[in-house]
Amino acid sequence: MVMHTRLRAALALAMMLVPLASLHAQEEGQRLELGGALRLDDRLSTYNGQLSWQEYRLSLTPSYTIDGRVKFYSDVWVRRLISSSPFETKPGTFQLREAYVELYGFLLKNLDITVGRQRIAWGTADRLNPTDNVNPVDLEDFWDVGRHMPTNSLQARCYMGPFTLTGVFTPHFEGAVLPTRQWLEAVTAKYPRSFDVEVPMAGSVRVKADPVTMSWHDEAPGWSLKNATYAVKLGCDIRNFTLSLSWLRQPMPMPVPSSVNTEARVTSFSAPTLTATVSADVKATLSHPIRQVVGFDVAGAIGSVGVWGEAALFLPEHEVRMERAAKVGIGLPGFPLMGQFPLKLSDSLVLAKEPYVKYTVGADYTFPINLYVNLQYAHGMAHEEGRKALHDYLSWVAEWTSDDARIKLAPLNGMLRVDEFDDVAGTYALFALPELTYTPIDNLDLKVGAHILLTGKQSALHPARHNGDAYCQVIYSF
């Protein structure tokens, strides 16, 4: 009942704001505009049929322009989000996504300045952008690929003939937004479920951890110039192609584990095989090492075919080794361990100080029968860091649109990931993303579709195979 009341209130507010969508101020040269969208998103789990995600979001995007020289803009989210799986950080009901002032011709005729909370999107590919690193990736909704969290930044753009030089400074670090716990293990370093340890007077013992309880402590970088984000990009247009070269230095938005402390309770032990089963309480400390990124991207058209490509060279400034400490004993959960003793565990390399490359290439084309086709190949995603953590992805879109643009049908959209090409059947992960969109009136979209994940048993995404859903969305833009 409370949810329905809030929904009616949001709808009423949206309807009251629609007439203001293009409001002009009285003074000459000033313009006030108000846009936004109302998004209602309900999802049912394809595994158990229960509600897995419900987000009702009202987005308001007011802007105010003065004499074409100054622009104020903001994007405010007011929402209610319910998920069947908990978040590491509880999502807020109110989010100030963007709020900035843009100054055109500031001090110099060819210099524009933007100050405030802003989304700075770099790259030319379709949502799979290895060079888009100024803003941290936002994995709150894992199915919303390419979403980023805006940051409080200073951006300057200088126009020099066919060239555009962009500089960005972000003084305060903001890390990636992590997904729900049902996705977290798929995108972060995994705790081993079995390992060998040296036990005093017993030698090497094979330990199997089941169940495992994880908790995290994120050591975010503090306020200092060395932890700020610095970025520069030089872009130009050559004929019908756009090219850019970029450089960035920042703490890594996606955290990596720097230490792990484990308290294990023995639940069974086999003397003949020297095998122990334990329940483990794991406390991990996460860190954000400094990295540099050199990027290049290009986009254009060859005839009527759109083409693009981008690549990023990642340069960690130091390696990260995970310190591991553990103690094992006998005792009930919630009580002190009895007869406990420490385990000798060696450190493990989490991130090597070696360069690695992510890249994306793609093309799209619209056939005369109103069929739009988009094909991309990507090596490495935003949440993957380190040469050994990168995977290969092939994504495709095939969307047919009716002549009156009221119906869009995309039953075959998807993505394929392969961890090991010598074992495709065991390490594949197939994302099937069928969707049907109906637009009964302008600016109103009604969508039904599904998020389906099929994996091989050895795939790193195998634990997330039950995270699929069927969804219904209502989106009204004004």
Side-chain angles (χ1 to χ4, degrees):
M1 185 65 181
V2 174
M3 176 58 68
H4 291 301
T5 301
R6 291 178 177 175
L7 174 58
R8 286 195 296 268
L11 286 168
L13 178 59
M15 293 301 101
M16 289 188 293
L17 292 174
V18 170
L20 300 177
S22 181
L23 178 65
H24 297 261
Q26 296 296 323
E27 292 80 0
E28 184 179 356
Q30 300 184 15
R31 180 179 178 87
L32 174 65
E33 294 183 335
L34 179 60
L38 178 65
R39 182 186 183 93
L40 312 178
D41 188 354
D42 292 279
R43 307 177 191 176
L44 295 178
S45 170
T46 53
Y47 176 64
N48 56 25
Q50 298 180 357
L51 182 70
S52 61
W53 181 280
Q54 184 181 72
E55 183 182 17
Y56 292 175
R57 180 204 310 167
L58 176 64
S59 173
L60 300 175
T61 56
S63 66
Y64 183 57
T65 305
I66 303 175
D67 296 328
R69 298 178 58 187
V70 180
K71 178 181 179 180
F72 301 89
Y73 176 86
S74 66
D75 183 6
V76 180
W77 285 7
V78 182
R79 63 176 184 167
R80 176 68 181 271
L81 174 58
I82 300 174
S83 172
S84 60
S85 178
F87 291 91
E88 290 300 310
T89 302
K90 185 178 179 180
T93 300
F94 175 88
Q95 279 193 14
L96 183 62
R97 299 288 292 188
E98 293 188 82
Y100 62 79
V101 57
E102 196 164 13
L103 307 174
Y104 306 107
F106 179 73
L107 297 181
L108 300 175
K109 185 178 180 180
N110 60 338
L111 180 64
D112 295 343
I113 301 291
T114 306
V115 183
R117 190 164 188 82
Q118 53 191 298
R119 170 72 174 104
I120 302 172
W122 287 2
T124 54
D126 183 8
R127 300 200 291 177
L128 306 179
N129 305 104
T131 63
D132 190 5
N133 299 295
V134 176
N135 299 136
V137 64
D138 184 350
L139 299 174
E140 178 187 78
D141 181 0
F142 192 80
W143 295 105
D144 190 0
V145 178
R147 186 163 123 183
H148 287 69
M149 177 62 75
T151 53
N152 303 331
S153 304
L154 168 64
Q155 180 180 197
R157 296 177 302 281
C158 183
Y159 306 97
M160 304 170 291
F163 296 94
T164 300
L165 180 63
T166 303
V168 178
F169 172 62
T170 304
H172 180 58
F173 170 81
E174 293 188 43
V177 180
L178 299 179
T180 60
R181 291 180 186 174
Q182 64 183 179
W183 281 108
L184 194 58
E185 186 176 358
V187 301
T188 57
K190 297 169 181 57
Y191 183 82
R193 292 302 194 264
S194 62
F195 46 88
D196 295 319
V197 298
E198 293 295 326
V199 178
M201 301 176 60
S204 179
V205 175
R206 186 68 174 175
V207 175
K208 296 181 180 180
D210 184 28
V212 176
T213 303
M214 298 286 296
S215 61
W216 311 86
H217 172 64
D218 194 344
E219 290 188 342
W223 283 82
S224 97
L225 290 178
K226 70 177 182 179
N227 293 328
T229 294
Y230 305 88
V232 179
K233 182 175 77 168
L234 180 64
C236 68
D237 294 326
I238 300 178
R239 295 183 181 274
N240 59 337
F241 281 85
T242 299
L243 304 91
S244 72
L245 182 67
S246 60
W247 169 85
L248 171 143
R249 182 184 186 273
Q250 67 178 175
M252 188 181 295
M254 281 296 296
V256 295
S258 55
S259 67
V260 172
N261 288 279
T262 302
E263 184 178 277
R265 303 172 187 274
V266 177
T267 56
S268 67
F269 181 77
S270 173
T273 59
L274 289 180
T275 302
T277 302
V278 302
S279 63
D281 182 14
V282 182
K283 295 180 174 61
T285 299
L286 307 178
S287 62
H288 301 265
I290 300 292
R291 69 179 183 186
Q292 297 186 48
V293 184
V294 179
F296 172 78
D297 62 71
V298 59
I302 300 177
S304 56
V305 178
V307 294
W308 57 83
E310 57 181 282
L313 174 65
F314 291 78
L315 303 166
E317 294 193 356
H318 60 272
E319 72 175 22
V320 178
R321 301 193 70 88
M322 183 173 64
E323 300 176 356
R324 299 193 297 171
K327 57 183 180 180
V328 175
I330 301 174
L332 296 174
F335 293 88
L337 292 176
M338 297 181 293
Q340 61 179 321
F341 57 88
L343 295 180
K344 184 179 180 180
L345 301 175
S346 59
D347 297 345
S348 61
L349 182 64
V350 176
L351 181 68
K353 186 183 177 182
E354 61 180 8
Y356 55 96
V357 177
K358 301 179 184 180
Y359 57 86
T360 300
V361 293
D364 64 358
Y365 180 73
T366 301
F367 291 88
I369 57 174
N370 298 335
L371 178 64
Y372 171 76
V373 176
N374 176 314
L375 186 66
Q376 292 189 111
Y377 176 81
H379 180 65
M381 296 283 274
H383 61 271
E384 298 174 348
E385 302 293 353
R387 181 182 298 178
K388 294 183 179 180
L390 304 183
H391 298 92
D392 295 284
Y393 299 82
L394 179 66
S395 71
W396 57 90
V397 172
E399 183 179 83
W400 174 83
T401 303
S402 63
D403 291 335
D404 59 3
R406 295 298 186 189
I407 298 175
K408 291 183 180 180
L409 179 62
L412 302 177
N413 289 358
M415 177 184 291
L416 175 66
R417 162 177 154 169
V418 177
D419 295 352
E420 299 289 343
F421 281 99
D422 56 356
D423 184 18
V424 174
T427 65
Y428 82 94
L430 176 63
F431 298 84
L433 309 170
E435 184 177 78
L436 170 65
T437 303
Y438 174 56
T439 306
I441 61 174
D442 291 345
N443 304 321
L444 177 62
D445 290 335
L446 309 178
K447 297 184 178 184
V448 292
H451 302 128
I452 302 170
L453 176 58
L454 305 173
T455 72
K457 292 184 178 180
Q458 304 304 317
S459 170
L461 291 174
H462 189 66
R465 66 191 181 282
H466 297 314
N467 294 354
D469 60 62
Y471 63 82
C472 177
Q473 299 174 353
V474 179
I475 305 172
Y476 180 70
S477 303
F478 54 90

